[in-house]
Amino acid sequence: MEKKKEFGKRFAGKVAIVTASTQGIGFAIAQRLGCEGASVVISSRKLKNVDEAVEKLKAQGIEVIGVVCHVSNAEQRKNLIEKTVQKYGKIDVVVSNAAANPSVESILQTQESVLDKLWEINVKASILLLKDAAPHMPKGSSVILISSIGGYNPHASMAMYGVTKTALLGLTKALAAEMAPDTRVNCIAPGFVPTHFADFITNNDAMRASIEQGTLLNRLGTTEDMASATAFLASDDASYITGETLVVAGGMPSRL
């Protein structure tokens, strides 16, 4: 039987909200922060998924509550913040992970309603969530936006999605300046990770092999890889880092 990983308690006494956190990268991040001592608030659109994820985390001894939240719904966003503050009194960490990719059309073939949805969920929702959360975030708090390697080099089948992820790189810089000095704002740009969100790529053997060959480490990323990087940036170990994007993509080309 695999030995359970032991982590330090960098988040003891801290409260963390993670959006879109009932599976995939979001769940792994919530799990890691919880294992390191955080009280975690998880959320996603479906109550069943929220309840199941809460039970999994509780079974690991993690202090957790779950709230249904579609990030483009203003009332549900406000409810997420209110429930967190009612229960825990503050918010130390916000991880904005929710994203949508409703289209594989080229940019100029994408319907306006789809462009609106991509902007609403992938960019605007992060801004509005932080607008609600900021008054409850104490000195030393931290925000992590989840971008993508596609923010640097938009993939043809996910081009507009990639552009919204590019916007998060700029948003990180702007919010870091705006929320300083009390709150640090950083960003993770994951490479390809085999989750439900990316299964149309990673389930195709030829495409998967091609992506693996495009990395220096000859493998796809794992949800744990993303959780480790997020936990570092959110923790006091990164207390002098803000406005930065950490690319976690196995050496895939991003920038100089």
Side-chain angles (χ1 to χ4, degrees):
M1 193 172 123
E2 191 182 341
K3 186 175 182 292
K4 190 182 173 203
K5 278 190 181 173
E6 293 295 330
F7 298 111
K9 295 291 180 187
R10 293 183 291 185
F11 297 96
K14 300 287 177 87
V15 178
I17 291 177
V18 186
T19 62
S21 46
T22 58
Q23 59 186 10
I25 291 172
F27 180 80
I29 291 169
Q31 184 177 41
R32 178 63 182 262
L33 298 179
C35 284
E36 290 206 36
S39 298
V40 182
V41 181
I42 65 167
S43 66
S44 76
R45 291 176 298 170
K46 294 177 182 164
L47 179 61
K48 178 176 177 287
N49 294 354
V50 171
D51 288 345
E52 286 174 1
V54 164
E55 287 312 307
K56 282 183 198 164
L57 294 175
K58 279 186 172 171
Q60 295 174 40
I62 291 169
E63 167 61 36
V64 57
I65 61 170
V67 181
V68 171
C69 180
H70 193 311
V71 293
S72 64
N73 181 310
E75 280 181 26
Q76 291 186 10
R77 281 195 310 269
K78 282 189 167 52
N79 183 53
L80 176 63
I81 301 303
E82 283 170 8
K83 286 272 193 333
T84 303
V85 174
Q86 280 167 12
K87 175 82 173 171
Y88 299 116
K90 61 172 182 167
I91 303 164
D92 296 291
V93 178
V94 175
V95 181
S96 185
N97 174 58
N101 183 35
S103 168
V104 292
E105 301 282 353
S106 63
I107 291 174
L108 298 184
Q109 298 300 317
T110 303
Q111 293 177 15
E112 186 174 357
S113 61
V114 175
L115 293 174
D116 288 344
K117 183 176 180 181
L118 279 158
W119 167 253
E120 287 268 331
I121 294 173
N122 296 3
V123 184
K124 188 174 156 189
S126 287
I127 299 168
L128 295 175
L129 182 70
L130 289 171
K131 200 171 181 176
D132 291 340
H136 307 287
M137 299 185 74
K139 186 173 177 60
S141 55
S142 181
V143 172
I144 310 292
L145 304 180
I146 307 297
S147 177
S148 167
I149 190 68
Y152 291 96
N153 300 295
H155 192 276
S157 65
M158 305 168 74
M160 196 60 216
Y161 169 84
V163 172
T164 63
K165 292 301 191 174
T166 309
L168 293 182
L169 309 184
L171 184 61
T172 299
K173 293 279 186 198
L175 285 176
E178 195 169 305
M179 299 182 80
D182 291 346
T183 301
R184 295 182 302 106
V185 183
N186 290 295
C187 183
I188 297 281
F192 285 92
V193 179
T195 63
H196 174 65
F197 187 82
D199 60 9
F200 75 101
I201 291 174
T202 55
N203 285 349
N204 176 319
D205 288 344
M207 198 175 281
R208 184 185 179 117
S210 166
I211 293 167
E212 287 171 344
Q213 287 161 14
T215 72
L216 299 181
L217 301 181
N218 294 325
R219 69 172 179 88
L220 299 182
T222 67
T223 57
E224 289 78 14
D225 291 328
M226 306 311 140
S228 298
T230 303
F232 164 65
L233 281 180
S235 77
D236 290 342
D237 285 339
S239 62
Y240 201 51
I241 301 174
T242 193
E244 297 296 340
T245 297
L246 180 56
V247 178
V248 190
M252 288 182 81
S254 58
R255 61 195 167 187
L256 288 174

